[in-house]
Amino acid sequence: MNDTNEKKPESNNRPDPKLKNNKPRFSYYWIYALLAVLIIGLQLMNWNTTVKNIGWGELKEMILNQEVERLVLVNKEFAEVFIKKDKLALEKFKDVRPGEGFGSTRPQYVYNIGSVETFEKDVSDIQQDFEKPVYIENLTRRNVWGDALSWILPVLLLIGAWFFIMRMMSRGAGGGGQIFNIGKSKAQLFDKDTHVNINFNDVAGLEEAKVEIMEIVDFLKNPKKYTTLGGKIPKGALLVGPPGTGKTLLAKAVAGEAKVPFFSLSGSDFVEMFVGVGASRVRDLFKQAKEKAPCIIFIDEIDAIGRARGRNQITGANDERENTLNQLLTEMDGFATNAGVIILAATNRADILDRALLRAGRFDRQIHVELPDLEERKAIFKVHMKPLKFDESIGVDFLSKQTPGFSGADIANVCNEAALIAARRNKTEISKQDFLDAIDRIIGGLEKRNKIISPQEKKVIAFHEAGHAAVSWLLQYAHPLVKVTIVPRGKALGAAWYLPEERQITTYEQMFDELVATLGGRASEDVVFGKISTGALNDLEKVTKQAYAMVVYFGLNKEIGNVSYYDSTGQQEYSFSKPYSEATAQLIDTEIKKIVEKAYLRAKEILTENRDKLEDLASILLKKEVIFREDLEAIFGKRPFEESHEFNGQNGPSDKPGQGSDAGTPPIEPQPEGQEQPDENQ
C-alpha cells in the first residue's frame, strides 16, 4: 500500500463536510412563506369587507322608503348603510344580500360623505315627518392589521434582508462572482467526481517534458518509493515554452493521470480592481489545497502576477500585483508548511518572472517545452488525425516535413482546417490536396482572387516574386523553393514559399545568402524597371532585423568583434539606455548598412547575369499566376550544388507549401528557427 492510501484514515478523522449536510437546518424560506400567507390573509379580509358604494340619490330613496335600518358614520369619512332584514327579500337588494357567518354583520352599502354637518342636516330634513327616524351613529374605527403591518412589515423586511446577505456571504467561491465572494479563490477543482478524460497518451511530442512531469505524478501515487531513500517531493515545476507547444495540455494530462484533487486557474484570476483581493484569493486557494492534500495546483500564464518586482515604480509603490506575488511567495515557501501540495505553472515569458519565484524551494524544476522536431510532429499528427476521415495514402511523414516550425496547436489547426476545406468541397474523405491547402491558408491567409490589381502593378509583383525565386535558386545556402504565386493572399499581394532546413546553428554564409534572397525582389524591380516600389517593406523589415542580429547579438561582424549585447534575462527592455556607447552605436549602424548594401548588390549582380531567365520566369508567372519547382528547373536547370536535405516534391496547384519568401531569417533571440510568413508586397 502506498502512503496515499495510508493517509486516508487520517483524512477521515477530519470532519466530513457531507455529514453536516445531513443535519436538519432551518430554512429561511419559511419566513418568506409566512409573509406570503399573512399578505394573502389580509387581502382576503379586505375582500370580505368590500361593499357596494352608492350615491346620495340612492341613499335618499332608501331613507324615504324606510328601508334603512342603521346609518353608521365611520371616522367622519363614510357612512355604512344597513338595510332592514325584511326589506332584503326585495328584488333590488339581491346583489347585496348578506351571507352566512362573518358576512351577515357587514353593511350592504357605503356612502362617501363630504361634510359631516351637511350630511346630518340632509338626513334630518328627509325624516322630518317620520314617526321612527333613522339616527346617525358615530363610530371611530381603527385598522388593527394595517397599524400592525406598518411597523411589523419593515422589521420583517430588514430581518429577511439580513438573512439573505448573511447567506450570500457564507457561500463559497461558486455562484458566479457575487461581490461577497470577491476574496474567494476562482480555482476550478477536478477530483474523482469531475474526472478529466485527458491522459499522457493524448500528449504527443513532449517526451522529455513528460518524463519529468510523470515523475511528479508517480510521487503522488507511490510516495513511499521515494521517501524510503530520503527524497522529498518537489514543491513546484514551471513549464516554459513558446505559445501552442502544449503546456496547458500537459497540465490537463497531469490532472487526468494523478487521481488526486487538481486546482486549475489562470494568473489573471488573482487580479482585481479592489486592493487586497489578489492576496486574499491566494490565501484562500492554498487553504483549500491544504484541506484536500495531497493535491496539485496549476496556475496558467503565471507571468500575469509573477513579473519581477520593482519595475513599475512610476505607478506607485503599493502595487496590487506585487502584493499578490508576495503572498504567493509566502504560501509556496514560507513558515507555513504545505505538505502534499505541488504547484505547476506555465508561461511563455520566463525571462520576466521574479527571481524569488524561480528559486529552488518554490519552483524546483523548469521544464522546457520547445517546438516539436520532425519526429515529434509525426506523433502529433497521428494524435490529431485519429478522428478524421482521410485518404489512407496520406502519410504523416509527408505532412510533418511540410510543417517545420509548427507548434502542436498549429498542427491541430491544420488538421481541422483540412477537414473544413474537404467538407466545403463536398468530399467524403480528406485528400492530400486538402491538407496542403490548409497549410497554405494557415501560413499565408485566405486567397483573394477578386482583389482589383492593375496590369502594371501585377507585372511589378510578378517580377518581384520572380526575383526572389531566381536568387534563391542560384544561391547555395538559400532554402529550397516550393512555389511562387502572385495571387493575393492575406495581406500579401504575392508570395514565395520555401521549405527551410531544420538546423540549430547558422553560419555567416548561410545568413548572408538568406539576406541576398530576401532582397531579390527589390533588386529585380531595380534591374528590370530602373525604379523601386513600396512592395519590399516586409523584406526590408526582415533584412534589417536579421542584419542587426548578426552584428549585435551573434558576433558575426569583424569590426564589432566577438561580443554580444543580447540579454537573455529580459532586463534590457526595461532599460532606458543601450548597453553600448554612442561610438559603438554609430559603428553598429555603419556595419549593418554595409551588410545590407553588400547583399543588395549581390542580388542585383545575380539578376543582371540572368536577366533573360528572370523575364522568362516572370512571363510564366504572369500567365499561370502560380509556378512550382519544376518550372524553375526548366528555365535555370538543376541547382549547381547539392542540397543539404532531401526534397519531396509533388506536382499540384498548391503543392509543397512551406516557409515564406524570407524563410530562414534568424530570430532576434537565439532559438530554433521557426515558420515565417510569406513575403508581402504592400
Side-chain angles (χ1 to χ4, degrees):
M1 297 293 287
N2 55 36
D3 283 3
T4 306
N5 295 330
E6 291 176 1
K7 289 181 180 179
K8 285 184 180 179
E10 276 184 32
S11 63
N12 291 334
N13 293 331
R14 297 194 301 263
D16 190 359
K18 294 181 179 180
L19 297 177
K20 297 180 181 179
N21 298 330
N22 296 329
K23 297 180 180 179
R25 296 187 300 174
F26 175 74
S27 178
Y28 303 111
Y29 290 105
W30 285 108
I31 299 176
Y32 307 145
L34 184 61
L35 289 174
V37 170
L38 186 61
I39 294 171
I40 293 173
L42 291 175
Q43 291 295 326
L44 289 175
M45 293 183 70
N46 291 332
W47 178 80
N48 285 332
T49 56
T50 301
V51 294
K52 188 177 180 180
N53 287 315
I54 59 173
W56 170 247
E58 294 173 302
L59 177 60
K60 182 179 180 181
E61 182 182 355
M62 292 178 185
I63 295 174
L64 288 173
N65 295 333
Q66 295 186 353
E67 297 170 345
V68 179
E69 183 180 6
R70 294 171 59 199
L71 281 174
V72 181
L73 187 62
V74 181
N75 298 332
K76 297 182 180 181
E77 296 177 356
F78 60 91
E80 294 180 345
V81 181
F82 293 84
I83 306 298
K84 295 178 179 179
K85 293 182 179 179
D86 57 340
K87 300 293 185 181
L88 286 174
L90 298 176
E91 184 67 21
K92 66 178 183 179
F93 297 122
K94 65 179 182 178
D95 296 332
V96 296
R97 291 170 184 171
E100 301 293 332
F102 181 80
S104 62
T105 61
R106 69 177 183 177
Q108 279 73 38
Y109 299 99
V110 170
Y111 171 69
N112 293 318
I113 67 173
S115 171
V116 177
E117 292 80 9
T118 303
F119 176 71
E120 291 179 343
K121 182 178 181 301
D122 291 341
V123 172
S124 178
D125 292 343
I126 296 173
Q127 303 181 100
Q128 286 182 357
D129 301 329
F130 289 6
E131 295 182 1
K132 294 182 178 181
V134 179
Y135 297 102
I136 299 175
E137 304 175 18
N138 288 292
L139 178 65
T140 302
R141 183 180 297 168
R142 296 185 62 185
N143 189 355
V144 179
W145 290 104
D147 295 342
L149 285 178
S150 63
W151 63 272
I152 291 177
L153 192 59
V155 174
L156 292 177
L157 290 175
L158 287 175
I159 294 173
W162 183 78
F163 276 118
F164 179 77
I165 293 173
M166 290 296 104
R167 189 177 183 186
M168 291 292 101
M169 292 180 66
S170 63
R171 285 185 178 178
Q178 295 92 346
I179 191 170
F180 304 105
N181 299 327
I182 198 166
K184 300 291 185 179
S185 171
K186 293 185 176 182
Q188 187 177 1
L189 175 62
F190 299 93
D191 52 15
K192 61 181 181 180
D193 298 326
T194 55
H195 184 63
V196 180
N197 295 323
I198 298 176
N199 52 39
F200 286 132
N201 295 328
D202 300 315
V203 181
L206 304 174
E207 301 304 324
E208 292 81 3
K210 281 199 293 185
V211 169
E212 295 203 41
I213 285 291
M214 287 173 69
E215 186 175 322
I216 297 176
V217 175
D218 188 51
F219 192 102
L220 292 172
K221 290 184 176 181
N222 307 295
K224 204 169 185 178
K225 173 182 174 183
Y226 302 88
T227 55
T228 52
L229 300 175
K232 295 182 179 179
I233 187 171
K235 291 287 186 67
L238 182 64
L239 302 174
V240 183
T245 50
K247 301 183 294 294
T248 306
L249 180 65
L250 198 59
K252 289 181 179 179
V254 173
E257 290 280 352
K259 307 298 182 184
V260 296
F262 187 92
F263 293 89
S264 175
L265 74 165
S266 172
S268 60
D269 290 336
F270 295 105
V271 183
E272 198 66 66
M273 63 177 291
F274 302 105
V275 177
V277 170
S280 174
R281 287 176 177 174
V282 171
R283 287 191 294 269
D284 186 68
L285 171 64
F286 279 86
K287 179 184 177 183
Q288 296 180 39
K290 290 175 187 177
E291 293 175 353
K292 293 186 176 291
C295 65
I296 298 175
I297 297 174
F298 174 63
I299 305 175
D300 202 4
E301 307 297 343
I302 196 173
D303 52 278
I305 59 170
R307 290 177 179 265
R309 293 165 291 181
R311 292 182 177 176
N312 297 323
Q313 293 298 325
I314 300 176
T315 60
N318 189 20
D319 189 14
E320 174 66 12
R321 194 175 278 107
E322 290 190 5
N323 294 337
T324 306
L325 176 59
N326 291 335
Q327 186 63 47
L328 180 63
L329 296 175
T330 304
E331 293 288 347
M332 288 185 67
D333 191 23
F335 273 74
T337 57
N338 295 324
V341 179
I342 297 178
I343 297 95
L344 292 181
T347 181
N348 51 19
R349 296 294 307 276
D351 56 316
I352 66 172
L353 295 180
D354 195 275
R355 291 183 179 179
L357 191 64
L358 300 176
R359 74 161 177 84
R362 291 195 173 107
F363 286 113
D364 301 286
R365 301 180 178 180
Q366 288 193 28
I367 303 173
H368 292 273
V369 185
E370 303 294 345
L371 290 171
D373 56 20
L374 181 62
E375 295 300 322
E376 289 174 337
R377 290 199 301 274
K378 290 180 183 178
I380 296 172
F381 264 112
K382 288 179 181 178
V383 170
H384 291 294
M385 290 176 68
K386 281 182 181 178
L388 302 181
K389 295 181 180 179
F390 57 92
D391 188 357
E392 296 298 332
S393 62
I394 304 175
V396 292
D397 294 344
F398 171 78
L399 294 176
S400 59
K401 290 178 180 178
Q402 312 311 306
T403 52
F406 275 43
S407 65
D410 294 330
I411 293 174
N413 195 17
V414 167
C415 295
N416 183 65
E417 195 67 39
L420 297 179
I421 292 173
R424 199 178 299 122
R425 296 170 179 173
N426 298 319
K427 295 183 178 180
T428 56
E429 61 181 13
I430 308 170
S431 65
K432 179 188 288 186
Q433 191 60 51
D434 297 327
F435 277 103
L436 296 176
D437 291 344
I439 297 173
D440 269 359
R441 182 168 183 176
I442 290 172
I443 296 175
L446 185 65
E447 285 189 350
K448 299 179 179 178
R449 291 188 174 272
N450 296 326
K451 196 167 187 175
I452 300 175
I453 302 175
S454 66
Q456 182 61 28
E457 287 179 332
K458 195 171 184 180
K459 186 177 181 181
V460 173
I461 296 170
F463 273 97
H464 184 104
E465 300 302 334
H468 281 303
V471 173
S472 63
W473 187 264
L474 298 171
L475 289 174
Q476 180 177 358
Y477 298 110
H479 296 304
L481 181 72
V482 175
K483 74 173 184 179
V484 183
T485 177
I486 57 173
V487 177
R489 185 184 288 270
K491 293 182 178 180
L493 299 178
W497 269 259
Y498 301 89
L499 195 64
E501 298 180 56
E502 294 188 61
R503 56 196 180 203
Q504 302 301 319
I505 57 174
T506 307
T507 64
Y508 174 85
E509 291 76 16
Q510 290 170 334
M511 299 182 75
F512 184 77
D513 279 2
E514 290 166 4
L515 289 178
V516 178
T518 306
L519 292 170
R522 167 161 286 203
S524 176
E525 295 179 25
D526 195 2
V527 170
V528 176
F529 302 102
K531 53 186 177 182
I532 55 179
S533 67
T534 60
L537 173 61
N538 186 253
D539 298 334
L540 297 179
E541 180 186 0
K542 292 180 179 180
V543 165
T544 305
K545 289 182 178 179
Q546 182 163 331
Y548 183 85
M550 292 170 65
V551 176
V552 179
Y553 294 156
F554 300 133
L556 299 179
N557 182 263
K558 293 181 179 179
E559 296 295 329
I560 300 298
N562 298 323
V563 295
S564 176
Y565 299 104
Y566 178 74
D567 184 12
S568 61
T569 63
Q571 304 289 332
Q572 187 174 317
E573 62 180 288
Y574 298 95
S575 177
F576 292 101
S577 61
K578 297 291 184 180
Y580 40 77
S581 64
E582 290 296 329
T584 305
Q586 189 173 359
L587 181 60
I588 288 172
D589 292 340
T590 304
E591 293 302 315
I592 291 174
K593 189 175 180 180
K594 283 182 181 178
I595 293 174
V596 174
E597 288 302 317
K598 183 180 178 181
Y600 184 68
L601 293 175
R602 175 64 174 150
K604 287 184 65 176
E605 180 185 349
I606 294 174
L607 293 176
T608 304
E609 294 174 356
N610 299 272
R611 173 73 180 267
D612 54 342
K613 297 178 180 179
L614 174 66
E615 292 180 352
D616 292 341
L617 183 62
S619 61
I620 296 174
L621 188 57
L622 281 170
K623 183 180 180 181
K624 294 184 177 180
E625 291 190 333
V626 180
I627 60 176
F628 300 91
R629 178 185 179 91
E630 291 76 10
D631 298 301
L632 270 79
E633 287 184 353
I635 297 174
F636 292 94
K638 294 283 186 180
R639 297 186 77 181
F641 36 78
E642 287 185 5
E643 296 175 359
S644 57
H645 66 284
E646 183 183 356
F647 180 81
N648 297 320
Q650 301 286 338
N651 292 323
S654 298
D655 195 23
K656 302 297 276 185
Q659 288 294 79
S661 62
D662 299 297
T665 303
I668 300 302
E669 299 181 5
Q671 61 184 13
E673 294 181 354
Q675 195 79 13
E676 298 190 11
Q677 295 297 324
D679 174 54
E680 293 184 9
N681 289 290
Q682 305 268 338

